[in-house]
C-alpha cells in the first residue's frame, strides 16, 4: 500500500507539560484515517530542528492512534502512555514549532505548525487537541480547529493520549469548530 497525504494525521500535541519537565513529558499523537492496517516502520517524524526514523515494526490500526513521546517511562514522564519514544531527536518548542510525519516513500502525510498562540492554542499543562470534526490534513493546519484538552491523564496534565480527543465545540456548536 502506498500511503498518501492525509492517511496519517497529527491530532494532539503536548509541547509544554506542567506535571513534569518538558524533557520528560512532551508528546504528540497521530491517527490513521484509512480503513487499512499501516506499519510505520521506516517513517520519519520531524520538527524544526530534528528528525527521528521509526526503525521497527510499528502497527497503526484503521482509525487507531499512536503516541510518540520524548520519554517512554511512565514513572518519570507524568504517567503518559507512550507507544514509541523519539528520545532526544525532537524537542517540541513551547512557542512556535512544527511536527510532521512522512512515509517510507518521503511523502509528508501531515504537518502541523503552531504559532506561539497567534492562531493555535498555547497552553501550559494541557495538550493542543484537534477538534474531532476536523480530522483531516488540511483542517488541522488551521489553529481555529484546535483547542486545549480538558481530560486529565497520568500525574495531572490534560490530554487524551492514544484515545479519542476532547470535544472542541463552544457555544453548544457540536460540529467541532469554534464559533465567533
Amino acid at each position: 500500500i502506498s500511503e498518501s497525504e492525509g492517511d496519517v494525521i497529527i491530532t494532539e500535541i503536548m509541547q509544554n507539560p506542567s506535571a513534569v519537565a518538558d524533557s520528560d513529558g512532551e508528546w504528540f499523537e497521530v491517527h490513521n484515517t484509512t480503513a487499512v492496517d499501516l506499519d510505520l516502520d521506516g517513517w520519519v517524524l520531524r520538527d524544526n530542528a530534528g528528525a527521528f526514523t521509526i526503525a521497527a515494526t510499528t502497527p497503526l490500526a484503521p482509525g487507531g492512534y499512536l503516541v510518540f513521546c520524548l520519554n517512554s517511562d511512565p514513572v518519570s514522564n507524568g504517567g503518559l502512555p507512550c507507544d514509541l519514544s523519539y528520545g532526544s531527536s525532537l524537542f517540541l518548542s513551547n512557542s512556535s514549532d512544527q511536527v510532521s510525519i512522512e512515509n517510507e516513500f518521503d511523502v509528508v502525510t501531515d504537518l502541523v505548525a503552531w504559532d506561539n498562540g497567534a492562531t493555535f492554542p498555547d497552553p501550559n499543562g494541557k495538550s493542543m487537541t484537534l477538534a474531532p470534526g476536523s480530522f483531516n490534513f488540511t483542517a488541522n493546519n488551521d489553529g481555529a480547529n484546535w483547542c486545549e484538552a480538558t481530560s486529565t491523564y497520568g500525574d495531572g496534565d490534560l490530554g487524551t493520549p492514544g484515545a479519542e480527543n476532547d470535544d472542541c465545540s463552544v457555544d453548544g456548536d457540536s460540529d467541532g469548530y469554534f464559533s465567533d
Side-chain angles (χ1 to χ4, degrees), residues 151-162:
S151 297
T152 303
Y153 73 90
D155 294 345
D157 278 335
L158 303 182
T160 58

Side-chain angles (χ1 to χ4, degrees), residues 78-146:
L80 172 68
C82 176
D83 294 303
L84 184 65
S85 172
Y86 48 78
S88 60
S89 298
L90 307 176
F91 291 100
L92 307 179
S93 174
N94 295 346
S95 56
S96 296
D97 201 351
Q98 67 181 33
V99 66
S100 67
I101 184 165
E102 65 185 54
N103 67 23
E104 68 275 27
F105 307 109
D106 300 325
V107 173
V108 175
T109 66
D110 196 27
L111 181 146
V112 173
W114 60 96
D115 55 12
N116 202 27
T119 62
F120 277 75
D122 188 25
N124 295 318
K126 303 173 186 177
S127 68
M128 294 184 287
T129 185
L130 181 63
S134 300
F135 271 39
N136 69 67
F137 74 101
T138 55
N140 74 353
N141 292 325
D142 184 349
N145 294 327
W146 293 75

Side-chain angles (χ1 to χ4, degrees), residues 6-148:
D7 285 355
V8 175
I9 62 167
I10 298 155
T11 54
E12 196 166 2
I13 302 166
M14 173 60 86
Q15 87 283 13
N16 193 18
S18 63
V20 295
D22 285 9
S23 59
D24 289 318
E26 289 182 349
W27 56 271
F28 66 96
E29 171 190 88
V30 299
H31 173 70
N32 180 351
T33 65
T34 75
V36 298
D37 288 312
L38 300 174
D39 180 5
L40 304 189
D41 186 13
W43 287 45
V44 178
L45 311 173
R46 294 186 193 279
D47 74 345
N48 278 341
F52 174 80
T53 300
I54 300 168
T57 298
T58 306
L60 181 52
Y65 299 91
L66 282 177
V67 176
F68 296 106
C69 64
L70 197 148
N71 173 0
S72 63
D73 181 2
V75 172
S76 60
N77 74 8
L80 172 68
C82 176
D83 294 303
L84 184 65
S85 172
Y86 48 78
S88 60
S89 298
L90 307 176
F91 291 100
L92 307 179
S93 174
N94 295 346
S95 56
S96 296
D97 201 351
Q98 67 181 33
V99 66
S100 67
I101 184 165
E102 65 185 54
N103 67 23
E104 68 275 27
F105 307 109
D106 300 325
V107 173
V108 175
T109 66
D110 196 27
L111 181 146
V112 173
W114 60 96
D115 55 12
N116 202 27
T119 62
F120 277 75
D122 188 25
N124 295 318
K126 303 173 186 177
S127 68
M128 294 184 287
T129 185
L130 181 63
S134 300
F135 271 39
N136 69 67
F137 74 101
T138 55
N140 74 353
N141 292 325
D142 184 349
N145 294 327
W146 293 75
C147 65
E148 296 180 5

